[in-house]
Amino acid sequence: MKTVKLRGVEVGAGMPKVIVPIVAAGRAGIVEKAKEFKNHALDVVEWRVDFYEDVFDTEKVLETLKELRAALGETPILFTFRTKKEGGEKEIDMEAYIALNTAVAQSGNADAVDVEIFSGDDVVRRCIDAAHAAGVAVVGSNHDFGKTPDKADLLYRLRKMQDMNADIPKIAVMPKSAADVIVLLDATQEMHNQYADRPIITMSMSNGVISRLCGECFGSSMTFGAVGQVSAPGQIPVEQLNTALKILHDALAPKQ
């Protein structure tokens, strides 16, 4: 299993790494939130640019990203435009989506970009190739806010992300019962143990919050916490999340 380095953060080694989103609409709010993060233990910041009021002005996006980079120092940045169909705030033309992700990757101020893996294979390949050409990692993602697919479908989606050469496959699904959460966790451990050659991220949203805590047990390498606003249902405050992750990590550590 290879790991993925995002600046000083090695994804796929040790405890699951904690991602915290920024969902502010204006540049000042985005930068202020980044400064607030200095008081919290986290590993990666996700800029959810679909919340940004000037997202369709690439020059302003790059200017804000540069300020965000300065405010965060060496904390890695994951750049994400979440489309409306996958739970995001805005619609976007796919050519514009490719151009935006490419410009951000080439800027040198983001460490990873999120690419929605079911945006069409040509779109996905162009985004991933551009990111990799710029030395930027790709989180290949899929979000199902309506249901939890069956295990075979979950494995198909995760394996497609890997086949498309995403550095970190990620899937988030909505449970309708505790059994759905178990399906997600079972698919996670099977992907991790039998198919994955790289880190993966999985989560069951909303009442599936246990999946955000127990990734180390099943093979999920990252999880999402919150400092204030959340970007998806079920995210919990980062301090509580870190406490739970450490309890599990210490319990799983080999006894001397």
Side-chain angles (χ1 to χ4, degrees), residues 132-143:
H132 286 167
V136 170
V138 172
V139 174
S141 68
N142 177 236
H143 304 77

Side-chain angles (χ1 to χ4, degrees), residues 112-234:
V113 296
D114 180 291
V115 176
E116 293 177 357
I117 216 73
F118 293 104
S119 300
D121 287 0
D122 181 63
V123 170
V124 171
R125 287 192 186 96
R126 289 166 65 191
C127 286
I128 291 177
D129 288 349
H132 286 167
V136 170
V138 172
V139 174
S141 68
N142 177 236
H143 304 77
D144 194 327
F145 279 79
K147 65 183 184 306
T148 297
D150 64 29
K151 180 180 169 183
D153 194 358
L154 289 169
L155 288 168
Y156 161 75
R157 297 185 193 195
L158 287 164
R159 294 182 72 182
K160 181 175 176 66
M161 295 167 192
Q162 182 165 282
D163 291 344
M164 296 291 287
N165 204 27
D167 300 281
I168 306 174
K170 173 204 171 192
I171 196 162
V173 297
M174 186 65 72
K176 294 184 178 178
S177 65
D180 281 347
V181 183
I182 293 171
V183 169
L184 181 278
L185 295 175
D186 190 23
T188 302
Q189 65 82 24
E190 185 165 325
M191 180 69 187
H192 175 73
N193 292 328
Q194 296 190 29
Y195 305 113
D197 62 2
R198 62 200 67 192
I200 63 172
I201 307 170
T202 70
M203 69 209 68
S204 181
M205 295 180 284
S206 190
N207 293 336
V209 65
I210 185 65
S211 68
R212 298 182 182 276
L213 308 177
C214 64
E216 189 169 0
C217 300
F218 293 89
S220 180
S221 65
M222 305 185 86
T223 188
F224 285 75
V227 175
Q229 283 183 294
V230 303
S231 62

Side-chain angles (χ1 to χ4, degrees), residues 12-31:
M15 282 172 49
K17 304 304 184 282
V18 174
I19 306 170
V20 176
I22 291 178
V23 296
R27 182 183 298 189
I30 290 164
V31 175

Side-chain angles (χ1 to χ4, degrees), residues 22 47-53 55 61 79-82 90 100:
I22 291 178
W47 182 20
R48 277 288 302 274
V49 75
D50 51 299
F51 283 88
Y52 180 41
E53 60 194 9
V55 65
V61 171
F79 179 88
T80 299
F81 188 111
R82 181 68 59 238
K90 297 178 177 72
L100 177 62

